[in-house]
Amino acid sequence: MSPGSSLSIGEAVTSLLRDGMPVRFTAYDGSTAGDADAEIGLELRTPRGLAYLLTAPGDLGMARAYVAGDLVVTGVHPGNPYDALRLLQSHLRFRTPTASEAFVLVRGLGLSHLKPPPPPPQEHLPRWRRTVEGLRHSLTRDAEVIAHHYDVSNRFYELVLGPSMAYTCAVYTDPDRSLEEAQAEKFDLIARKLDLRPGQRLLDVGCGWGGMVRHAAREYGVRALGVTLSREQATWAKEAIDRDGLGDLAEVRHADYRDVLESGFDAVSSIGLTEHIGVRNYPTYFSSLRDRLRPEGRLLNHCITRAHNRREETGAFIDRYVFPDGELIGSGTIIREAQDAGLEVMHAENLRRHYALTLTAWSQNLVDHWDECVAEVGEGTARVWGLYMAGSRLAFERNEIQLHQVLAVRTGEDGADGFGLRPSW
């Protein structure tokens, strides 16, 4: 192809593939690539979609085009594109063009496509622009990014998460258990690890919609306090506590965990909060939770982890569309920081495969309630959720990320920890 000749989109795509296109690809200019008989297809429907792909290479450009509806995946439901993602991740391999090849490709497709279109409204600001909201993981900035994800719509979360309103990894005693049974088992496993008993005091930081608070109060007679940075979650949780008649035992506050002044708790649970803390803030985080505990009081830290302990930024799609400022690290770092804060680590458990099962159930809920979800939050946001949950499921299945529960205790000055010689849970 000469430098000045035009190029079809299908030709451009084909020229960049190492092993061919594993799905059928069609573009708005009428060109195609890949197997015409493939069950799964990609349709690039608009010039704007092409501009997204060219101006933000990688997962961000693909995500922008997909969320905006300019890139459509056929053969799968938009609420659960898992089969398409698995196929593409396993078999789609692009080669890196030389500078001269890249110039020819872009010129052949049209230089006008190098003007970046405005991103979809669901996209959060890039990291460097969030400094106007405060330093990373400051009180102000944490509140803003938590609202971005969790204050979407309580009704939307009810449809996707189910009656438990638990937005964390469930625990499946066997793979045929229902999502509700598995979420109940997760809360009860945490209660058993914490050795909760009637009359004790529990602090649940990052409590979400109050699932652990209500379970501890209802099933164990514990006086439970939960805190969340999401105003929508706090409102829903307070209504659920009243509805369940647990107001004398359970409380949820719209507050940061750093604002909790009470101490002497028998137990602290942190279920899905550590991902939002920031690794550099772990010393303060674990020290703060230790200070909330009485001697022999237990901490259960439940969070997504990496399969290694190297520092890595979260990918652009997750950071811009799902969890702004989220950070992950390996369980070794979690354990080290807890120990350095003066906590004795007693037990760690990896629930990686359980999270893949949990995401499978959430994805099915989104598919089953797709029309109502779209009516509630818009198709773009529903697409974000379908893509992110399917991609996360793949990551857990492939051991790219994990889920660890780490149980620790504030050991007394005399070395007493309150544990038996063997685990009781």
Side-chain angles (χ1 to χ4, degrees), residues 286 330-340 343 345 347-348 404 406:
F286 281 112
S331 60
T333 301
I334 300 284
I335 291 172
R336 183 193 69 207
E337 295 292 351
Q339 290 173 328
D340 287 351
L343 292 160
V345 174
H347 185 266
H404 275 85
V406 174

Side-chain angles (χ1 to χ4, degrees), residues 29 33 50-51 71 86 96 101 108 120 123 137 147 153 163 174 216 249 278 281 295 328 336 350 384 411 418 424:
D29 65 353
L50 178 59
L71 179 66
R86 183 178 60 177
T96 302
E101 285 178 325
E123 183 172 318
H137 299 300
S153 158
D174 67 69
L249 289 174
N281 295 319
L328 302 179
R336 183 193 69 207
N350 183 4
V384 167
T411 307
S424 60

Side-chain angles (χ1 to χ4, degrees), residues 159-215:
L159 294 167
V160 174
L161 303 181
S164 72
M165 286 294 275
Y167 189 27
T168 47
C169 176
V171 174
Y172 286 80
T173 53
D174 67 69
D176 295 325
R177 290 288 185 179
S178 70
L179 175 62
E180 289 308 303
E181 290 172 326
Q183 290 292 12
E185 173 60 22
K186 181 263 302 296
F187 289 133
D188 208 67
L189 176 62
I190 292 171
R192 298 195 305 269
K193 286 181 175 181
L194 291 173
D195 196 25
L196 295 183
R197 299 176 187 179
Q200 290 186 330
R201 297 169 63 222
L202 167 71
L203 172 63
D204 185 37
V205 294
C207 70
W209 290 271
M212 184 65 202
V213 168
R214 289 182 289 124
H215 184 90

